[in-house]
Amino acid sequence: DQQVKQNSPSLSVQEGRISILNCDYTNSMFDYFLWYKKYPAEGPTFLISISSIKDKNEDGRFTVFLNKSAKHLSLHIVPSQPGDSAVYFCAASADNNDMRFGAGTRLTVKP
Amino acid sequence: EAGVVQSPRYKIIEKKQPVAFWCNPISGHNTLYWYLQNLGQGPELLIRYENEEAVDDSQLPKDRFSAERLKGVDSTLKIQPAELGDSAVYLCASSRTSGGLQYFGPGTRLTVT
């Protein structure tokens, strides 16, 4: 069962513009959400997270928005840089239990 | 601080052969995870260890997969015999405590021919 969904397999953005990556979930028990970034031949690395008690968390160029009523979260990267080109995974967990990952979105930032 | 170490990085074997993967977690991390990542998919949990105890192995195909974490540090994941459908990346991750932030190793890419 796909509890975390990333419906866009890929996204292409011009350098300097905003990148918006989307993620939907079905399990209303999820209370913690994370974004991981993955470069080729490397493991996923943690990028940013948000607790279900918040609707926004910001860290430099990266902001995650959470809409609990819609069971939707998004990652905004602004301004986008070529080094941001990677696969981004959305993940969610409930009550500190195991994480469920989406299928990932491949972001390409063009110079 | 050294990250999660996995070996080998790549492995090619023929079907029906056995294969083993090794993981050394970050020092001081009590929780260790093995994930399977198929092409175009996100990581899926196979097994989670709290120290040397496997506390969640519900997704581990026990007919051919086995894992151990002796002494609560290093861990090995074994497949015997391997099938064509086992071709994937096997990721190891660790966290300081259960539910803590997970740090991933680079993975082992397995190809079964």
Side-chain angles (χ1 to χ4, degrees):
Chain A
D1 60 341
Q2 197 75 4
Q3 297 187 37
V4 178
K5 298 178 182 179
Q6 294 177 255
N7 293 318
S8 297
S10 63
L11 174 68
S12 183
V13 171
Q14 205 67 35
E15 180 180 6
R17 306 297 290 268
I18 185 172
S19 295
I20 300 176
L21 295 93
N22 293 305
C23 177
D24 298 294
Y25 61 95
T26 58
N27 189 342
S28 58
M29 299 302 292
F30 287 146
D31 57 6
Y32 193 64
F33 304 88
L34 308 92
W35 286 93
Y36 277 83
K37 176 180 180 179
K38 186 182 182 306
Y39 291 117
E42 295 183 12
T45 56
F46 170 73
L47 185 59
I48 193 170
S49 64
I50 187 167
S51 163
S52 60
I53 63 173
K54 294 186 174 182
D55 55 18
K56 177 183 175 181
N57 188 27
E58 190 172 355
D59 182 3
R61 297 185 296 111
F62 303 91
T63 303
V64 56
F65 295 91
L66 176 62
N67 182 334
K68 289 189 293 293
S69 61
K71 295 191 179 69
H72 176 85
L73 64 157
S74 60
L75 173 68
H76 292 209
I77 307 173
V78 57
S80 301
Q81 300 174 354
D84 296 329
S85 297
V87 177
Y88 290 78
F89 291 100
C90 171
S93 67
D95 195 24
N96 281 336
N97 284 323
D98 298 320
M99 284 198 297
R100 303 283 183 152
F101 285 83
T105 296
R106 180 179 301 277
L107 173 66
T108 302
V109 181
K110 298 180 178 179
Chain B
E1 179 180 73
V4 177
V5 179
Q6 290 188 248
S7 69
R9 293 293 312 277
Y10 303 91
K11 188 74 175 178
I12 300 174
I13 61 171
E14 294 183 347
K15 63 181 180 183
K16 301 185 181 179
Q17 294 301 306
V19 65
F21 314 124
W22 175 80
C23 174
N24 181 240
I26 293 173
S27 177
H29 281 199
N30 296 323
T31 308
L32 184 146
Y33 312 78
W34 282 103
Y35 287 89
L36 164 69
Q37 185 179 12
N38 286 305
L39 188 64
Q41 301 296 317
E44 299 173 31
L45 183 69
L46 289 172
I47 189 168
R48 172 168 59 97
Y49 280 93
E50 297 293 341
N51 298 303
E52 65 274 8
E53 182 182 358
V55 297
D56 184 358
D57 63 355
S58 58
Q59 301 305 311
L60 191 71
K62 298 181 184 62
D63 56 337
R64 297 184 300 107
F65 286 66
S66 64
E68 61 182 12
R69 192 185 182 196
L70 300 176
K71 302 180 181 179
V73 181
D74 295 3
S75 177
T76 57
L77 177 68
K78 298 178 182 178
I79 308 175
Q80 183 170 12
E83 297 179 352
L84 294 175
D86 296 331
S87 295
V89 175
Y90 292 82
L91 292 163
C92 179
S94 69
S95 60
R96 192 169 297 279
T97 59
S98 178
L101 180 62
Q102 294 184 31
Y103 295 82
F104 284 83
T108 296
R109 180 176 294 277
L110 174 67
T111 301
V112 182
T113 63

